[in-house]
Amino acid sequence: MTRLFSNINTLKGVGEKRSRLYERLGITTPYELLYHFPRSYTDYTQVTAVIDAPINEYCVLKGTIVRKLPEQRIRMGLNIFKAIANDGTNNFLVVFFNNYYAFDALNVGYEYYFYGKVTGDLLKKEITSPHVIAGDSKELFQPVYSLTEGLTGAIVQTNIKSCLQILDSEPIEILPKDIIEENNLCGLTEAIKNIHFPQSKEMLDMAKKRLAFDELLTLQLGMLMLKGRNKQKTAIKMSSDTNVEILYQTIPFELTNAQKQAISEICADLCSSVPMNRLLQGDVGSGKTAVAAAACYFAYLNGCQSALMAPTEILAIQHYNTLCEFLGPLGVQVCLLTGSLTAKKKNAVKEQIQNGEISVVVGTHAIIQKSTVFKKLGLVITDEQHRFGVEQRAALAEKGGSPHKLVMSATPIPRTLALIIYGDLDISILNELPKGRAKIETFAVTGKLRERAYNFIRDRLNENKQAYIVCPMIDENDNDLIAVTTYAQKLQEGAFSGYNVGLLHGRMSSADKERVMNDFRNGDIDLLISTTVVEVGVDVPNAVVMMIENSDRFGLSQLHQLRGRVGRGMAQSYCILVTDNINDDVKHRLRIMSSTTDGFKISEEDLKLRGPGDFFGKKQHGLPQLKIADIAGDMELMKTTQMVARRIIDEDSELKLPKNGGLRVEVIRLFAKSGDNSLN
Ligand code: ADP
Ligand code: MG
């Protein structure tokens, strides 16, 4: 079993230079080369008759060589080789530039498949620099690989064929036999052979299914192992006699049933010595902060400190204010810890955290994670989790022994998917919005109606309500910045001259941002012109209009987040989506936005539109990169592998049994690539 795992340069035809090229593709062993799957296939079963072959398109022609023409020297260094072939419908020319070997390999009277671009004219068609395979070949699906400079498809094919020869003498299998049988899978060796050189379409499908199965199973085993390891740690076991009811009197509203349910699930977790590892999923405006407050209060009553971490300073400040309002009257000391505090203040606060005077710390991730020492940290809550991946979750676990962890996500995703992407977490869902919320009315308009939209906003401002206008920034370069700044200025001097217009963008200093948000919250600013920094979490219930310029530039989920900034109080709220780009795709998206405010539905649509690759870009979910499986595309396989993974882990939590050895190697390999080494 060693040749597959030895250095790639032990492969015939691979020397120092080529092995360095392979390294660029992340390939260091023959085994890894075998897992360099084709990007696509050329299907030689789809033969086009010459008389039907469209000019300037890629086609497969199949013909017999009639005659080879003498070599033509066009100029120094350019030789053209031509052969006449016939497929029974017509003659065609096979043309090679400077490729004597390919030309020489053709024999008169023999039949070949040619794949390439058809040129010439209707009477005399040519196929130029085609890929050629023998007419009696059984390998009619030819692999097409992702290449790097210096590695051609032909080289990779040859090298992979050498690997497949090794595989013949060293067959591999990582799945226990019963799993293969129960799931009607083909063997791994067979799958690898057929993923590169499929014997038929059916065999290719079998191979894909098998390899996708392995990949998803490996992924889920890794997640379950993470979860299992978490369970081996111990956290502070809080008392189940704790009563948080008194908190409900300081919270200025009646909690929804979903909130109460989530709180009781969280409190139950806190009463175990197994660290909580829970995801709180809820649509925008579902009231996650109140749930977080209850959890902090529960910890406080048990003499434990809590940390609430937000991704931005604006949000940290907002949470700080909310927690002070809810918990302050009950005597809980809450503090704010962000980068913009003076060093002196920061040190003072940190000292109070260390000596236990402060019970709840609210701040940005970086600050809390880095250098803060707690006296008795019992609970860590992270908000807007969709920006953090598995790695960060693992890193967090190391903080202060093993505190209980709650992550809050405002990106609703279908539950089945959540189970997979957050397979290392337990999940609570807020599937109910607070009572009395009016549906947000959403309109999509073109720029022609902008003045009317301004009128509409002015009417709302005259009712003492507030509004946002969001302008997208592609990135924070100066041009974009000038664009929002002038936009705000223009409105202040023109359409909104009698009102207070504020400006908020990511490049402002924290102090300035805080001042603007405060002014907006207090009602001193009527209309806030902002970039997407208001996207997550900002909560100003008196704001009732969200107008979004160039709304075609945003994805559905992002529009949903932005829209979620309004409709947070009792008053009727509105969302105005402005765009002058009205192609079908944009129309379709805006129609979805106008027809529903259900975040779970919107995320499903978003997933369909964007495809899983984009939707679950690595940055969003933080999972290892998958090669062949499609996280969202194949739910059935997802569910099956999840069940199988559970069964395996129940029996063998660390994959120590010999029969699971192959899987263990794969799990480590997959997670090592993601930079998360915690599974080694
Ligand atoms: P999100 O889940 O988006 O983080 P927030 O926690 O910011 O939502 O809450 C949204 C708004 O709804 C806040 O203004 C909050 O005070 C209010 N809210 C939360 N829970 C309730 C409830 N049960 N009844 C009425 N209003 C609520
Ligand atoms: Mg929130």
Side-chain angles (χ1 to χ4, degrees), residues 50 64 66 84-93 123-125:
V50 173
T64 306
V66 180
I84 298 172
N86 185 291
D87 76 343
T89 69
N90 211 342
N91 276 352
F92 59 98
L93 272 180
L123 295 176
K124 196 172 158 202
K125 291 182 185 168

Side-chain angles (χ1 to χ4, degrees), residues 253-256 259 284-289 434 437 539 541 568:
F253 42 73
E254 172 83 13
L255 291 174
T256 64
Q259 283 170 318
V284 282
S286 57
K288 291 182 287 291
T289 321
R437 292 274 170 85
D539 181 44
R568 302 175 80 84

Side-chain angles (χ1 to χ4, degrees), residues 633-645:
D634 197 344
M635 284 315 291
E636 277 313 307
L637 197 58
M638 224 22 168
K639 282 184 208 155
T640 313
T641 49
Q642 191 171 36
M643 261 157 43
V644 174

Side-chain angles (χ1 to χ4, degrees), residues 288-289 319 383-384 537:
K288 291 182 287 291
T289 321
H319 285 328
D383 191 17
E384 308 302 350

Side-chain angles (χ1 to χ4, degrees), residues 311-529:
T312 66
E313 205 151 348
I314 294 179
L315 269 188
I317 293 163
Q318 177 180 296
H319 285 328
Y320 169 73
N321 290 331
T322 307
L323 292 198
C324 285
E325 182 193 337
F326 293 173
L327 303 179
L330 301 169
V332 183
Q333 290 297 319
V334 184
C335 80
L336 180 67
L337 190 58
T338 66
S340 57
L341 292 185
T342 61
K344 198 171 152 203
K345 182 88 188 80
K346 231 183 273 173
N347 286 335
V349 169
K350 283 187 181 174
E351 201 179 304
Q352 284 179 298
I353 296 170
Q354 190 163 5
N355 67 26
E357 280 170 50
I358 283 172
S359 302
V360 179
V361 183
V362 185
T364 43
H365 293 83
I367 297 297
I368 295 186
Q369 260 167 293
K370 249 189 233 151
S371 57
T372 311
V373 183
F374 288 83
K375 183 164 186 224
K376 192 178 177 192
L377 180 62
L379 171 66
V380 173
I381 304 176
T382 26
D383 191 17
E384 308 302 350
Q385 127 80 25
H386 64 293
R387 300 191 166 191
F388 305 92
V390 176
E391 295 138 56
Q392 283 94 337
R393 305 210 289 263
L396 248 181
E398 306 309 317
K399 187 82 203 167
S402 304
H404 295 285
K405 291 191 304 296
L406 178 68
V407 284
M408 305 198 288
S409 169
T411 307
I413 54 175
R415 188 182 175 94
T416 33
L417 275 180
L419 282 173
I420 287 140
I421 290 176
Y422 304 112
D424 54 335
L425 308 176
D426 296 312
I427 303 183
S428 294
I429 294 186
L430 298 183
N431 55 1
E432 180 188 1
L433 290 181
K435 279 195 206 72
R437 292 274 170 85
K439 185 170 170 284
I440 304 170
E441 297 241 25
T442 302
F443 310 97
V445 302
T446 64
K448 286 199 196 110
L449 292 181
R450 195 174 275 112
E451 288 305 321
R452 269 180 69 184
Y454 290 158
N455 278 335
F456 180 82
I457 292 176
R458 270 197 304 268
D459 287 345
R460 303 285 85 72
L461 301 189
N462 292 339
E463 292 166 359
N464 280 326
K465 297 291 182 201
Q466 290 162 283
Y468 300 93
I469 299 181
V470 169
C471 305
M473 278 225 275
I474 315 314
D475 65 77
E476 304 244 315
N477 69 35
D478 291 332
N479 285 340
D480 283 345
L481 212 53
I482 292 167
V484 265
T485 315
T486 30
Y487 187 99
Q489 229 160 26
K490 223 175 74 194
L491 290 193
Q492 178 70 86
E493 287 159 12
F496 292 91
S497 57
Y499 305 84
N500 282 329
V501 177
L503 173 65
L504 186 71
H505 60 75
R507 282 244 225 121
M508 286 162 50
S509 74
S510 303
D512 284 348
K513 272 190 245 169
E514 187 183 337
R515 190 175 40 73
V516 170
M517 270 324 290
N518 260 337
D519 288 351
F520 190 58
R521 200 166 284 125
N522 298 337
D524 295 336
I525 289 175
D526 305 304
L527 173 63
L528 184 60
I529 314 300

Side-chain angles (χ1 to χ4, degrees), residues 11-14 18 21-22 33 145 147-162:
L11 209 60
K12 200 172 74 197
V14 178
R18 232 167 242 177
L21 294 176
Y22 275 122
L33 183 53
Y145 295 99
L147 304 170
T148 181
E149 210 183 304
L151 278 178
T152 65
I155 296 175
V156 175
Q157 272 205 30
T158 311
N159 294 155
I160 284 184
K161 281 189 174 153
S162 312

